[in-house]
Amino acid sequence: MTAEIDIDHRALEQSPEDFASQWRLIWIAFRRHRLAMTGAIIVLLFYFVGAFAEILAPFDPNATSSADIYHPPQMIHLIDRHPDGGWSFNPHVTALTAERDPFTLQTTFTEDPDRKIYLDFFGKGDPYRLWGIIPMERHLLTTEDPQERFFLIGADRLGRDMLSRTIYGTRISMSIGLIGVSLSLVLGLILGGISGYYGGRVDMLIQRVVELVISLPTIPIWLGLSAALPQDWSPLTRYFAITVILSLVAWTELARVVRGRFLALRTEDFVTAARLDGCTRGRVIFRHMMPSMVSHIIASVTLAIPVMIIAETSLSFLGLGLTPPIISWGVLLKEAQNVRSIAQAPWLFAPGAAVCLAVLALNFLGDGLRDAADPYVQDSH
């Protein structure tokens, strides 16, 4: 008589997570975080806009027009209705006519239904050089008649298109956060790694420096260093100077994170095995210890970028950061400081909405990366 043994085949089945690599596990956990995925898509869109600002902007961001001062936003109409009752797909905006009140001298814009401004996708417009190298004239959306203009989110006090200026500002504001965090990353990795690996007096000295920098009030330090910059510096030099100023304060948190990870890893078996195998200290640090904490570093860097963006926006808003002709979100918001902007041209606050959206998206992305890189969080799922 033979005994029948029931085998639960489901117990023998293996999921992809059972044999996936560390990066694969992080990606699987990250995909479950819907807010983080949404934030990642928004962040990628922002950097895409910044990379191809010349193509996406309808006009030259510095082109002025005295007839379009504080021109209100216009809505795109996709369907063009003909007088005979027919219709066709032809994107256009209704032209606005400026009228000045003879008593109050206030300019008002009224729609002119008989005049339409037709739009053209990838049409020829203001010439430019893509990334300062490739000469081009094509824009994603422009007018069929080069002499006409349209304003999807209005114009400023000089008649400049706010959409084009906001798109160009995306490149500066998002890149200054990325470059600033990159400089902070280098300082944090070097000093934090040395502090955590060697310990002893070296660790004590570096940590006292970190505590000294952290104890300094951040905003006054930024304001003081920014105010000390020479006014005759070129816009590009000032851009990099502001980036360095932001990095000098932001590296301390990352250095502490790296130090903590090094203190936890230096007693692990694989580090001991590498030392016994004759590996140099540099190889132990960069070849064995660093790769095991890359995911945590990426999460920390992602959470540090929005701090940089807000810092640059704040300094430029106060007139101590970037200045015209550089276009950033902070420089654009500085134009909206007066009461007239709030009362008559609320669309000048559009860069503020971009700042809020970018910071929220980066925070969601950083939270998702941090949770996905945490093995304890993954085990709990």
Side-chain angles (χ1 to χ4, degrees), residues 38-87:
T38 303
I41 294 173
I42 294 175
V43 170
L44 289 177
L45 286 176
F46 270 116
Y47 280 109
F48 178 82
V49 170
F52 298 96
E54 294 90 349
I55 298 177
L56 299 177
F59 306 105
D60 182 352
N62 295 315
T64 61
S65 174
S66 58
D68 298 317
I69 294 176
Y70 290 125
H71 192 293
Q74 296 169 287
M75 182 181 297
I76 295 180
H77 303 279
L78 300 178
I79 304 301
D80 185 17
R81 300 192 180 276
H82 305 303
D84 58 0
W87 62 274

Side-chain angles (χ1 to χ4, degrees), residues 221-244:
I221 290 296
W222 279 338
L223 293 176
L225 293 176
S226 300
L229 295 179
Q231 296 298 319
D232 57 349
W233 277 7
S234 66
L236 185 62
T237 305
R238 193 173 184 86
Y239 169 83
F240 283 107
I242 293 295
T243 305
V244 172

Side-chain angles (χ1 to χ4, degrees), residues 196-197 260-277 284 288-290 292-293 296 375-376:
Y197 184 80
R261 294 294 301 168
F262 266 73
L263 288 175
L265 290 175
R266 68 178 184 176
T267 57
E268 294 289 338
D269 294 339
F270 71 92
V271 176
T272 303
R275 290 171 180 165
L276 295 176
D277 199 36
V284 171
H288 297 279
M289 299 179 72
M290 281 291 186
S292 63
M293 56 184 297
H296 296 273
Y376 298 103

Side-chain angles (χ1 to χ4, degrees), residues 54-193:
E54 294 90 349
I55 298 177
L56 299 177
F59 306 105
D60 182 352
N62 295 315
T64 61
S65 174
S66 58
D68 298 317
I69 294 176
Y70 290 125
H71 192 293
Q74 296 169 287
M75 182 181 297
I76 295 180
H77 303 279
L78 300 178
I79 304 301
D80 185 17
R81 300 192 180 276
H82 305 303
D84 58 0
W87 62 274
S88 62
F89 178 80
N90 198 356
H92 65 279
V93 297
T94 303
L96 301 181
T97 303
E99 298 179 355
R100 184 181 294 273
D101 190 307
F103 299 100
T104 63
L105 299 180
Q106 181 178 354
T107 303
T108 57
F109 290 84
T110 56
E111 286 191 356
D112 184 359
D114 298 329
R115 183 173 164 231
K116 299 177 181 178
I117 301 175
Y118 291 97
L119 309 179
D120 188 13
F121 288 98
F122 292 103
K124 289 187 177 181
D126 297 332
Y128 60 87
R129 287 185 175 271
L130 182 63
W131 306 318
I133 302 174
I134 308 172
M136 296 180 66
E137 292 182 351
R138 299 286 178 177
H139 296 262
L140 175 64
L141 186 63
T142 186
T143 57
E144 291 183 355
D145 184 359
Q147 302 300 322
E148 294 181 320
R149 293 165 63 87
F150 69 100
F151 303 92
L152 294 185
I153 58 173
D156 64 2
R157 61 184 178 86
L158 297 178
R160 297 171 295 191
D161 179 38
M162 280 299 298
L163 177 60
S164 301
R165 292 178 66 77
T166 303
I167 290 176
Y168 272 83
T170 302
R171 169 180 294 177
I172 297 297
S173 294
M174 295 297 290
S175 65
I176 202 170
L178 194 62
I179 297 175
V181 168
S182 300
L183 295 177
S184 300
L185 176 63
V186 173
L187 289 173
L189 287 178
I190 295 176
L191 296 179

